[in-house]
């Protein structure tokens, strides 16, 4: 398990509230025990990075997660079952599993109730991205956005971990995809995923483009950025359009922008449009159906997983990976190979 002894493993623990994940966290060595009845002991191979969530956890700024210090960290991990506790019938040593439960991600081993894990086909890291971010994208579009085939869909941060799934799912439904991203390299990447119109916000003004080419024509928009992009999406919703809010990266500093303008009712009432919050953790009953639909698209080759480069390894690499994601430079899903942990 790449631990310093056969009886211990290491994990990242948040020990102080701090401005950044790196500043608040410490790597701790923990005893490795046998799983209790109903539990699994899993050797983690890869973890998925959620840099904004990690930063807000370090600041104790996630309203729906109440933390008591110290707390372990990370949400997503893929690993292999090492041992099963008494009464566990659906898992066996050697099974590949994914967890998307908070505190199960940034650690070399995870001993937790069997219900926290989903068995997957193999230990290929594609399954980590599919079961976590891919499912989020499917739920955002289908459950909150109520996406219909052939609609016009606008997506911000389209080259990111969530965005690159959103683009592919919408394209697979025959939708006209308007993808917003920053830089020529990301624009080319998003175009390769099936986007119809790519707006490179470093070269074009998003508001100007949407006002000119998609005036009142957006059926579904998914925004994780906020600010001017949110405003442009909102202003150009079609009749009965749906704007799905999946984040507000522009407000990560904890001081949301204060604006002066007409209330949102003025933008949506006469169109019968709506603005809808998307919080995947509140939508767990929809995950099984989302997995079924997403895995079918993956099997058909209509959705592919793309990972960011450079790749990171070991628990220490998690700090760098978080900062890479926050930098805005990443494309695709950011993961860390825990097999290289020292």
């Amino acid at each position: 398990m790449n631990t310093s002894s056969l009886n211990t493993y290491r994990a990242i623990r948040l020990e102080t509230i701090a401005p950044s994940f790196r500043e608040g966290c410490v790597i701790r060595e923990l005893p490795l025990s046998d799983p209790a009845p109903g539990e699994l002991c899993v050797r983690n191979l890869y973890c998925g990075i959620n840099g904004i969530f990690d930063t807000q956890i370090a600041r104790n700024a996630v309203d729906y997660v109440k933390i008591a210090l110290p707390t372990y960290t990370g949400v997503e991990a893929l690993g292999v079952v090492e041992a099963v506790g008494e009464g566990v019938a659906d898992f066996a040593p050697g099974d590949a599993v994914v967890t998307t439960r908070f505190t199960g991600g940034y650690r070399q081993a995870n001993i937790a109730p069997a219900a926290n894990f989903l068995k997957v086909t193999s230990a290929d890291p594609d399954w980590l991205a599919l079961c976590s971010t891919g499912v989020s994208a499917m739920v955002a579009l289908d459950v909150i956005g109520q996406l219909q085939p052939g609609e016009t869909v606008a997506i911000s941060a389209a080259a990111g971990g969530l965005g690159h799934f959103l683009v592919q799912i919408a394209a697979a439904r025959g939708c006209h995809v308007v993808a917003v991203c920053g830089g020529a390299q990301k624009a080319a990447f998003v175009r390769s995923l099936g986007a119809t119109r790519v707006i490179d916000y470093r070269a074009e003004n998003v508001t100007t483009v949407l006002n000119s080419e998609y005036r009142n024509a957006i059926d579904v928009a998914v925004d994780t950025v906020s600010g001017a992009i949110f405003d442009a999406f909102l202003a150009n919703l079609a009749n009965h359009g749906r704007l799905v809010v999946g984040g507000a990266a522009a407000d990560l500093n904890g001081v949301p922008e204060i604006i002066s303008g007409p209330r949102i009712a003025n933008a949506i009432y006469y169109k019968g449009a709506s603005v809808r919050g998307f919080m995947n953790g509140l939508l767990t009953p929809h995950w099984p159906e989302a997995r079924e639909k997403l895995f079918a698209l993956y099997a058909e080759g209509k959705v592919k997983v793309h990972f960011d480069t450079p790749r990171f390894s070991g628990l220490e690499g998690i700090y760098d990976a978080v900062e890479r994601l926050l930098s805005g430079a990443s494309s695709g899903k950011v993961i860390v190979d825990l097999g290289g942990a020292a």
Side-chain angles (χ1 to χ4, degrees):
M1 203 174 286
N2 282 326
T3 54
S4 58
S5 77
L6 294 177
N7 300 314
T8 63
Y9 70 98
R10 300 193 309 153
I12 295 181
R13 191 166 72 182
L14 178 69
E15 300 198 346
T16 60
I17 302 303
S20 71
F21 183 76
R22 187 188 291 269
E23 291 174 272
C25 290
V26 176
I27 297 176
R28 294 297 184 192
E29 189 166 313
L30 307 171
L32 183 62
S33 59
D34 293 330
E39 291 185 334
L40 302 181
C41 176
V42 174
R43 173 169 53 93
N44 282 346
L45 300 177
Y46 299 93
C47 64
I49 300 299
N50 295 279
I52 293 176
F53 177 84
D54 297 330
T55 301
Q56 297 297 68
I57 283 290
R59 297 171 178 175
N60 196 20
V62 180
D63 291 341
Y64 67 94
V65 178
K66 303 303 179 185
I67 63 172
L69 296 179
T71 185
Y72 293 97
T73 57
V75 177
E76 310 164 10
L78 178 147
V80 174
V81 175
E82 296 274 288
V84 301
E86 182 182 350
V88 174
D90 296 331
F91 298 89
D95 286 345
V97 294
V98 170
T99 184
T100 55
R101 299 292 183 93
F102 178 56
T103 75
Y106 298 163
R107 52 175 62 232
Q108 293 176 306
N110 189 10
I111 301 172
N116 286 14
F117 300 93
L118 174 72
K119 190 186 302 183
V120 292
T121 302
S122 73
D124 186 318
D126 275 17
W127 291 105
L128 171 59
L130 289 164
C131 292
S132 55
T133 313
V135 166
S136 294
M138 185 67 76
V139 173
L141 287 174
D142 281 0
V143 178
I144 306 301
Q146 295 180 302
L147 181 68
Q148 300 300 312
E151 290 190 311
T152 296
V153 181
I155 299 165
S156 67
L162 180 69
H164 93 284
F165 280 119
L166 291 168
V167 171
Q168 292 180 85
I169 294 168
R173 302 275 177 79
C175 293
H176 181 105
V177 180
V178 182
V180 179
C181 59
Q185 186 174 358
K186 288 188 178 184
F189 169 56
V190 170
R191 197 172 290 111
S192 75
L193 301 176
T196 314
R197 174 66 160 97
V198 179
I199 306 174
D200 175 0
Y201 64 77
R202 295 181 181 174
E204 299 181 276
N205 182 279
V206 176
T207 301
T208 300
V209 172
L210 293 182
N211 287 347
S212 172
E213 300 178 25
Y214 296 94
R215 187 67 181 170
N216 299 324
I218 298 172
D219 298 301
V220 178
V222 183
D223 178 42
T224 57
V225 176
S226 192
I229 292 178
F230 172 90
D231 294 341
F233 284 178
L234 177 65
N236 288 291
L237 289 177
N239 289 344
H240 307 296
R242 290 86 71 196
L243 172 48
V244 179
V245 179
D251 298 330
L252 183 59
N253 63 5
V255 185
E257 181 183 6
I258 304 301
I259 61 171
S260 176
R263 288 191 171 92
I264 198 170
N266 293 276
I268 64 176
Y269 175 68
Y270 289 105
K271 295 180 179 179
S274 59
V275 177
R276 308 173 177 190
F278 166 63
M279 181 55 62
N280 196 39
L282 301 178
L283 298 163
T284 53
H286 298 281
W287 290 3
E289 182 182 0
R291 284 194 293 262
E292 183 178 347
K293 291 189 289 188
L294 181 68
F295 294 175
L297 290 175
Y298 177 72
E300 295 167 11
K302 294 179 179 179
V303 166
K304 296 181 179 180
V305 180
H306 296 267
F307 294 106
D308 183 46
T309 54
R311 302 291 281 270
F312 301 92
S313 63
L315 289 178
E316 291 81 1
I318 291 172
Y319 297 116
D320 294 332
V322 168
E323 290 163 8
R324 163 78 176 177
L325 192 150
L326 293 178
S327 74
S330 62
S331 292
K333 178 70 175 176
V334 180
I335 65 170
V336 174
D337 181 351
L338 295 176

Coordinates of all heavy atoms in Angstrom, one line a residue, residues 69-147:
L69 N -12.7 20.3 13.3 CA -11.3 20.1 13.2 C -10.7 19.1 14.2 O -11.2 19.2 15.4 CB -10.5 21.4 13.2 CG -10.8 22.4 12.1 CD1 -10.0 23.7 12.3 CD2 -10.5 21.8 10.7
P70 N -9.8 18.3 13.9 CA -9.3 18.1 12.5 C -10.2 17.2 11.7 O -11.0 16.4 12.2 CB -7.9 17.3 12.7 CG -8.2 16.5 14.0 CD -9.1 17.4 14.8
T71 N -10.2 17.3 10.3 CA -11.0 16.5 9.5 C -10.1 16.0 8.3 O -9.3 16.8 7.8 CB -12.2 17.3 9.0 OG1 -13.0 16.4 8.2 CG2 -11.8 18.4 8.1
Y72 N -10.4 14.8 7.8 CA -9.7 14.3 6.6 C -10.4 14.9 5.4 O -11.5 15.5 5.5 CB -9.7 12.8 6.7 CG -8.8 12.3 7.8 CD1 -9.3 11.9 9.0 CD2 -7.4 12.4 7.6 CE1 -8.5 11.6 10.1 CE2 -6.6 12.0 8.7 CZ -7.1 11.6 9.9 OH -6.3 11.3 10.9
T73 N -9.8 14.8 4.3 CA -10.1 15.6 3.1 C -10.3 14.7 1.9 O -9.9 13.6 1.8 CB -9.1 16.7 2.9 OG1 -7.8 16.1 2.7 CG2 -9.0 17.7 4.0
G74 N -10.7 15.4 0.8 CA -10.9 14.7 -0.5 C -12.2 14.0 -0.6 O -12.8 13.5 0.4
V75 N -12.7 13.9 -1.8 CA -14.0 13.3 -2.0 C -14.0 12.1 -2.9 O -14.6 11.1 -2.6 CB -15.0 14.4 -2.7 CG1 -16.3 13.8 -3.0 CG2 -15.1 15.6 -1.8
E76 N -13.2 12.2 -4.0 CA -13.3 11.1 -5.0 C -12.0 10.3 -5.0 O -10.9 10.8 -5.0 CB -13.4 11.7 -6.4 CG -14.4 12.8 -6.6 CD -14.2 13.6 -7.8 OE1 -13.4 13.3 -8.7 OE2 -14.9 14.6 -8.0
A77 N -12.2 8.9 -5.1 CA -11.1 8.0 -5.2 C -11.5 6.8 -5.9 O -12.6 6.3 -5.7 CB -10.5 7.7 -3.8
L78 N -10.5 6.2 -6.6 CA -10.7 4.9 -7.2 C -9.6 4.0 -6.6 O -8.5 4.4 -6.5 CB -10.5 4.9 -8.7 CG -10.6 3.6 -9.4 CD1 -11.3 3.8 -10.8 CD2 -9.3 2.9 -9.6
G79 N -10.0 2.8 -6.2 CA -9.1 1.8 -5.6 C -9.5 0.4 -5.7 O -10.4 0.1 -6.5
V80 N -8.7 -0.5 -5.0 CA -9.0 -1.9 -5.1 C -9.2 -2.4 -3.7 O -8.5 -2.0 -2.7 CB -7.7 -2.6 -5.7 CG1 -7.9 -4.1 -5.6 CG2 -7.5 -2.2 -7.1
V81 N -10.2 -3.2 -3.5 CA -10.6 -3.8 -2.2 C -9.5 -4.7 -1.7 O -9.1 -5.6 -2.4 CB -11.9 -4.6 -2.3 CG1 -12.2 -5.2 -0.9 CG2 -13.1 -3.6 -2.7
E82 N -9.0 -4.5 -0.5 CA -8.0 -5.3 0.1 C -8.6 -6.3 1.0 O -8.1 -7.4 1.2 CB -7.0 -4.4 0.9 CG -6.2 -3.4 0.0 CD -5.0 -4.1 -0.5 OE1 -4.0 -4.3 0.2 OE2 -4.9 -4.3 -1.8
A83 N -9.7 -5.9 1.7 CA -10.3 -6.8 2.7 C -11.7 -6.4 2.9 O -12.1 -5.2 2.7 CB -9.6 -6.8 4.0
V84 N -12.6 -7.3 3.3 CA -14.0 -7.1 3.5 C -14.4 -7.5 4.9 O -13.8 -8.4 5.5 CB -14.9 -7.8 2.5 CG1 -14.6 -7.4 1.1 CG2 -14.8 -9.3 2.6
G85 N -15.2 -6.7 5.5 CA -15.7 -7.0 6.9 C -16.8 -8.0 6.9 O -17.4 -8.4 5.9
E86 N -17.0 -8.5 8.1 CA -18.1 -9.5 8.3 C -19.4 -9.0 7.7 O -19.8 -7.8 8.0 CB -18.2 -9.8 9.8 CG -19.2 -10.9 10.1 CD -19.3 -11.2 11.6 OE1 -18.5 -10.7 12.3 OE2 -20.3 -11.9 12.0
G87 N -20.1 -9.8 7.0 CA -21.5 -9.5 6.6 C -21.5 -8.8 5.2 O -22.5 -8.5 4.7
V88 N -20.3 -8.5 4.6 CA -20.3 -7.8 3.3 C -20.3 -8.9 2.2 O -19.5 -9.8 2.2 CB -19.0 -7.0 3.1 CG1 -18.9 -6.5 1.7 CG2 -18.9 -5.9 4.1
A89 N -21.4 -8.9 1.4 CA -21.6 -9.9 0.4 C -21.4 -9.4 -1.0 O -21.2 -10.3 -1.9 CB -23.0 -10.5 0.5
D90 N -21.4 -8.1 -1.3 CA -21.4 -7.6 -2.6 C -20.0 -7.2 -3.1 O -19.9 -6.8 -4.3 CB -22.3 -6.4 -2.8 CG -23.8 -6.8 -2.5 OD1 -24.2 -8.0 -2.8 OD2 -24.6 -5.9 -2.0
F91 N -19.0 -7.3 -2.3 CA -17.7 -7.0 -2.6 C -16.7 -8.1 -2.2 O -17.0 -8.8 -1.3 CB -17.2 -5.7 -2.0 CG -18.0 -4.5 -2.3 CD1 -19.2 -4.1 -1.6 CD2 -17.7 -3.7 -3.4 CE1 -19.9 -3.0 -2.0 CE2 -18.4 -2.6 -3.7 CZ -19.6 -2.2 -3.0
A92 N -15.6 -8.2 -2.9 CA -14.6 -9.2 -2.6 C -13.2 -8.6 -2.8 O -13.0 -7.6 -3.6 CB -14.7 -10.4 -3.5
P93 N -12.2 -9.1 -2.2 CA -10.8 -8.6 -2.4 C -10.5 -8.6 -3.9 O -10.8 -9.6 -4.6 CB -9.9 -9.5 -1.6 CG -10.8 -10.0 -0.5 CD -12.2 -10.1 -1.1
G94 N -9.9 -7.6 -4.4 CA -9.5 -7.5 -5.8 C -10.5 -6.6 -6.6 O -10.2 -6.2 -7.8
D95 N -11.7 -6.4 -6.1 CA -12.7 -5.6 -6.8 C -12.2 -4.1 -6.9 O -11.7 -3.6 -6.0 CB -14.0 -5.6 -6.1 CG -14.8 -6.9 -6.2 OD1 -14.5 -7.7 -7.1 OD2 -15.8 -7.0 -5.4
A96 N -12.4 -3.6 -8.1 CA -12.2 -2.1 -8.3 C -13.4 -1.4 -7.9 O -14.6 -1.7 -8.2 CB -11.9 -1.8 -9.8
V97 N -13.2 -0.3 -7.1 CA -14.3 0.5 -6.5 C -14.0 2.0 -6.6 O -12.9 2.4 -6.6 CB -14.6 0.1 -5.1 CG1 -15.1 -1.4 -5.0 CG2 -13.4 0.3 -4.2
V98 N -15.1 2.8 -6.6 CA -15.0 4.2 -6.6 C -15.8 4.7 -5.4 O -16.9 4.2 -5.1 CB -15.5 4.8 -7.9 CG1 -15.7 6.4 -7.7 CG2 -14.6 4.5 -9.0
T99 N -15.3 5.7 -4.7 CA -16.1 6.4 -3.7 C -16.2 7.9 -4.1 O -15.2 8.5 -4.6 CB -15.5 6.3 -2.3 OG1 -16.3 6.9 -1.3 CG2 -14.1 6.9 -2.2
T100 N -17.3 8.5 -3.7 CA -17.5 9.9 -3.9 C -18.0 10.6 -2.6 O -18.8 11.5 -2.6 CB -18.5 10.2 -5.1 OG1 -19.7 9.6 -4.8 CG2 -17.9 9.8 -6.4
R101 N -17.5 10.0 -1.5 CA -17.9 10.5 -0.2 C -16.8 11.4 0.4 O -15.6 11.0 0.4 CB -18.2 9.3 0.7 CG -19.4 8.5 0.3 CD -20.7 9.2 0.3 NE -21.8 8.3 0.0 CZ -22.5 7.6 0.8 NH1 -22.3 7.7 2.1 NH2 -23.5 6.8 0.4
F102 N -17.1 12.5 1.0 CA -16.1 13.4 1.6 C -15.3 12.7 2.7 O -15.9 12.0 3.5 CB -16.9 14.6 2.1 CG -16.0 15.6 2.9 CD1 -14.9 16.2 2.2 CD2 -16.2 16.0 4.2 CE1 -14.0 17.1 2.9 CE2 -15.4 16.9 4.8 CZ -14.3 17.4 4.2
T103 N -14.1 12.9 2.7 CA -13.0 12.4 3.5 C -12.5 11.1 3.0 O -11.5 10.6 3.5 CB -13.4 12.2 5.0 OG1 -14.2 11.1 5.2 CG2 -14.0 13.5 5.6
G104 N -13.0 10.5 1.9 CA -12.5 9.3 1.4 C -11.5 9.4 0.3 O -11.0 8.4 -0.3
G105 N -11.2 10.7 -0.1 CA -10.4 10.9 -1.3 C -8.9 11.0 -1.1 O -8.1 10.3 -1.8
Y106 N -8.4 11.9 -0.3 CA -7.0 12.2 -0.2 C -6.3 11.3 0.9 O -5.9 11.8 1.9 CB -6.8 13.7 0.1 CG -7.4 14.6 -0.9 CD1 -7.6 16.0 -0.7 CD2 -7.7 14.1 -2.2 CE1 -8.1 16.8 -1.7 CE2 -8.2 15.0 -3.2 CZ -8.4 16.3 -2.9 OH -8.9 17.1 -3.9
R107 N -6.3 10.1 0.6 CA -5.7 9.1 1.5 C -5.2 7.9 0.8 O -5.7 7.6 -0.3 CB -6.7 8.7 2.6 CG -8.0 8.3 2.0 CD -9.0 7.8 3.1 NE -9.4 8.8 4.0 CZ -9.3 8.6 5.4 NH1 -8.9 7.4 5.9 NH2 -9.7 9.5 6.2
Q108 N -4.2 7.2 1.3 CA -3.7 6.0 0.6 C -4.6 4.8 0.8 O -4.7 3.9 0.0 CB -2.3 5.7 1.2 CG -1.2 6.7 0.8 CD 0.1 6.3 1.4 OE1 0.1 6.2 2.7 NE2 1.1 6.2 0.7
A109 N -5.3 4.8 1.9 CA -6.3 3.7 2.2 C -7.6 4.3 2.8 O -7.6 5.4 3.3 CB -5.7 2.7 3.2
N110 N -8.6 3.5 2.6 CA -9.9 4.0 3.0 C -10.7 2.8 3.6 O -11.0 1.9 3.0 CB -10.7 4.6 1.8 CG -12.0 5.3 2.2 OD1 -12.2 5.5 3.4 ND2 -12.8 5.6 1.3
I111 N -10.9 2.9 4.9 CA -11.8 1.9 5.6 C -13.1 2.6 6.0 O -13.2 3.5 6.8 CB -11.1 1.5 6.9 CG1 -9.7 0.9 6.6 CG2 -11.9 0.4 7.6 CD1 -8.8 0.5 7.8
A112 N -14.1 2.1 5.3 CA -15.4 2.8 5.4 C -16.6 1.8 5.1 O -16.3 0.7 4.6 CB -15.5 4.0 4.4
P113 N -17.8 2.2 5.4 CA -18.9 1.3 5.1 C -19.0 0.9 3.7 O -18.7 1.8 2.8 CB -20.1 2.1 5.6 CG -19.6 3.1 6.6 CD -18.2 3.4 6.2
A114 N -19.4 -0.3 3.4 CA -19.5 -0.8 2.0 C -20.4 0.1 1.2 O -20.2 0.3 0.0 CB -19.9 -2.2 2.0
A115 N -21.4 0.7 1.8 CA -22.3 1.6 1.1 C -21.7 2.8 0.5 O -22.3 3.5 -0.4 CB -23.5 2.0 2.0
N116 N -20.5 3.1 0.9 CA -19.8 4.3 0.4 C -19.1 4.0 -0.9 O -18.5 5.0 -1.5 CB -18.7 4.7 1.4 CG -19.2 5.4 2.6 OD1 -20.4 5.4 2.9 ND2 -18.4 6.1 3.4
F117 N -19.1 2.8 -1.4 CA -18.4 2.4 -2.6 C -19.3 1.9 -3.7 O -20.3 1.3 -3.4 CB -17.3 1.4 -2.2 CG -16.3 1.8 -1.2 CD1 -16.6 1.5 0.2 CD2 -15.2 2.5 -1.6 CE1 -15.7 1.9 1.1 CE2 -14.3 2.9 -0.6 CZ -14.5 2.6 0.7
L118 N -18.8 2.1 -4.9 CA -19.5 1.6 -6.1 C -18.5 0.7 -6.8 O -17.4 1.1 -7.1 CB -19.9 2.7 -7.0 CG -20.5 2.3 -8.4 CD1 -21.9 1.7 -8.2 CD2 -20.5 3.5 -9.3
K119 N -18.9 -0.6 -7.1 CA -18.0 -1.4 -7.9 C -18.0 -1.0 -9.3 O -19.1 -0.7 -9.9 CB -18.5 -2.9 -7.7 CG -17.6 -3.9 -8.3 CD -18.2 -5.3 -8.3 CE -18.6 -5.8 -6.9 NZ -19.1 -7.2 -6.9
V120 N -16.8 -1.0 -9.9 CA -16.7 -0.6 -11.3 C -15.9 -1.7 -12.1 O -15.4 -2.7 -11.5 CB -16.0 0.7 -11.5 CG1 -16.8 1.9 -11.0 CG2 -14.6 0.7 -10.8
T121 N -15.9 -1.6 -13.4 CA -15.4 -2.6 -14.3 C -13.9 -2.9 -14.1 O -13.5 -4.1 -14.1 CB -15.6 -2.2 -15.8 OG1 -17.0 -2.0 -16.0 CG2 -15.1 -3.3 -16.7
S122 N -13.1 -1.9 -13.9 CA -11.7 -2.1 -13.7 C -11.1 -0.9 -12.9 O -11.8 0.1 -12.6 CB -11.0 -2.2 -15.1 OG -11.0 -0.9 -15.7
A123 N -9.8 -0.9 -12.6 CA -9.1 0.1 -11.9 C -8.6 1.2 -12.9 O -7.7 2.0 -12.5 CB -8.0 -0.4 -11.1
D124 N -9.1 1.2 -14.1 CA -8.8 2.3 -15.1 C -9.3 3.6 -14.5 O -10.5 3.7 -14.1 CB -9.5 2.0 -16.4 CG -9.1 2.9 -17.5 OD1 -9.0 4.1 -17.3 OD2 -8.9 2.5 -18.7
P125 N -8.5 4.7 -14.5 CA -8.9 6.0 -13.9 C -10.1 6.6 -14.7 O -10.7 7.5 -14.1 CB -7.7 6.8 -14.0 CG -6.8 6.2 -15.0 CD -7.1 4.7 -14.9
D126 N -10.4 6.1 -15.9 CA -11.6 6.6 -16.5 C -12.8 6.5 -15.6 O -13.7 7.4 -15.6 CB -11.9 5.9 -17.8 CG -11.1 6.4 -19.0 OD1 -10.1 7.2 -18.8 OD2 -11.4 6.0 -20.2
W127 N -12.9 5.4 -14.9 CA -14.1 5.1 -14.1 C -14.2 6.1 -12.9 O -15.3 6.4 -12.5 CB -14.1 3.7 -13.6 CG -14.3 2.7 -14.7 CD1 -13.4 1.9 -15.3 CD2 -15.5 2.5 -15.4 NE1 -14.0 1.2 -16.3 CE2 -15.3 1.6 -16.4 CE3 -16.8 3.1 -15.3 CZ2 -16.3 1.1 -17.3 CZ3 -17.8 2.6 -16.2 CH2 -17.5 1.7 -17.2
L128 N -13.1 6.6 -12.4 CA -13.1 7.6 -11.4 C -13.7 8.9 -11.9 O -14.6 9.5 -11.3 CB -11.7 7.9 -10.9 CG -11.5 9.1 -10.0 CD1 -12.3 9.0 -8.7 CD2 -10.0 9.3 -9.7
A129 N -13.3 9.3 -13.1 CA -13.9 10.5 -13.7 C -15.4 10.4 -14.1 O -16.2 11.3 -13.9 CB -13.1 10.9 -14.9
L130 N -15.7 9.2 -14.6 CA -17.1 9.0 -15.0 C -18.0 9.0 -13.8 O -19.1 9.6 -13.8 CB -17.2 7.6 -15.8 CG -16.6 7.6 -17.2 CD1 -16.4 6.1 -17.6 CD2 -17.4 8.4 -18.2
C131 N -17.6 8.3 -12.8 CA -18.5 8.1 -11.6 C -18.7 9.4 -10.8 O -19.7 9.5 -10.0 CB -18.0 7.0 -10.7 SG -18.1 5.3 -11.4
S132 N -17.7 10.3 -10.9 CA -17.8 11.5 -10.1 C -18.2 12.7 -11.0 O -19.4 13.0 -11.1 CB -16.4 11.8 -9.5 OG -15.4 11.9 -10.5
T133 N -17.3 13.2 -11.8 CA -17.6 14.4 -12.6 C -18.6 14.1 -13.7 O -19.5 14.9 -14.0 CB -16.3 15.0 -13.1 OG1 -15.4 15.1 -12.0 CG2 -16.6 16.4 -13.7
G134 N -18.5 13.0 -14.3 CA -19.4 12.6 -15.4 C -20.8 12.5 -15.0 O -21.7 13.0 -15.7
V135 N -21.0 11.9 -13.8 CA -22.4 11.8 -13.3 C -22.9 13.1 -12.9 O -24.1 13.5 -13.2 CB -22.4 10.8 -12.1 CG1 -23.7 11.0 -11.3 CG2 -22.2 9.4 -12.5
S136 N -22.0 14.0 -12.4 CA -22.5 15.4 -12.1 C -23.0 16.1 -13.3 O -24.0 16.8 -13.3 CB -21.3 16.2 -11.5 OG -20.9 15.7 -10.2
A137 N -22.2 15.9 -14.4 CA -22.6 16.6 -15.7 C -24.0 16.0 -16.2 O -24.8 16.8 -16.6 CB -21.6 16.3 -16.8
M138 N -24.2 14.7 -16.1 CA -25.4 14.1 -16.6 C -26.6 14.6 -15.7 O -27.7 15.0 -16.2 CB -25.3 12.6 -16.5 CG -26.5 11.9 -17.1 SD -26.8 12.1 -18.8 CE -25.5 11.0 -19.5
V139 N -26.4 14.7 -14.4 CA -27.5 15.1 -13.5 C -27.8 16.6 -13.8 O -29.0 17.0 -13.8 CB -27.1 14.9 -12.1 CG1 -28.2 15.5 -11.1 CG2 -27.0 13.4 -11.8
A140 N -26.8 17.4 -13.9 CA -27.0 18.9 -14.2 C -27.8 19.1 -15.4 O -28.7 19.9 -15.5 CB -25.6 19.6 -14.3
L141 N -27.5 18.4 -16.5 CA -28.2 18.6 -17.8 C -29.6 18.0 -17.7 O -30.6 18.6 -18.2 CB -27.4 17.9 -18.9 CG -26.1 18.7 -19.3 CD1 -25.4 17.9 -20.4 CD2 -26.5 20.1 -19.9
D142 N -29.7 16.7 -17.3 CA -31.0 16.0 -17.4 C -32.0 16.4 -16.3 O -33.2 16.6 -16.5 CB -30.7 14.5 -17.4 CG -30.3 14.0 -18.8 OD1 -30.2 14.9 -19.7 OD2 -30.1 12.8 -19.0
V143 N -31.5 16.4 -15.0 CA -32.4 16.6 -13.9 C -32.7 18.1 -13.7 O -33.9 18.5 -13.6 CB -31.8 16.0 -12.6 CG1 -32.8 16.2 -11.4 CG2 -31.6 14.5 -12.8
I144 N -31.7 18.9 -13.7 CA -31.9 20.3 -13.4 C -32.1 21.1 -14.7 O -33.0 21.9 -14.8 CB -30.6 20.9 -12.7 CG1 -30.3 20.1 -11.4 CG2 -30.9 22.4 -12.3 CD1 -31.5 20.1 -10.4
G145 N -31.4 20.8 -15.8 CA -31.6 21.5 -17.0 C -32.7 21.0 -17.9 O -33.1 21.7 -18.8
Q146 N -33.1 19.8 -17.6 CA -34.2 19.1 -18.4 C -33.9 19.2 -19.9 O -34.8 19.6 -20.7 CB -35.6 19.8 -18.0 CG -36.0 19.5 -16.6 CD -37.3 20.2 -16.3 OE1 -37.5 21.4 -16.4 NE2 -38.3 19.3 -15.9
L147 N -32.7 18.9 -20.2 CA -32.2 19.0 -21.6 C -33.0 18.1 -22.6 O -33.4 16.9 -22.3 CB -30.8 18.5 -21.7 CG -30.1 18.6 -23.0 CD1 -29.9 20.0 -23.5 CD2 -28.7 17.9 -23.0

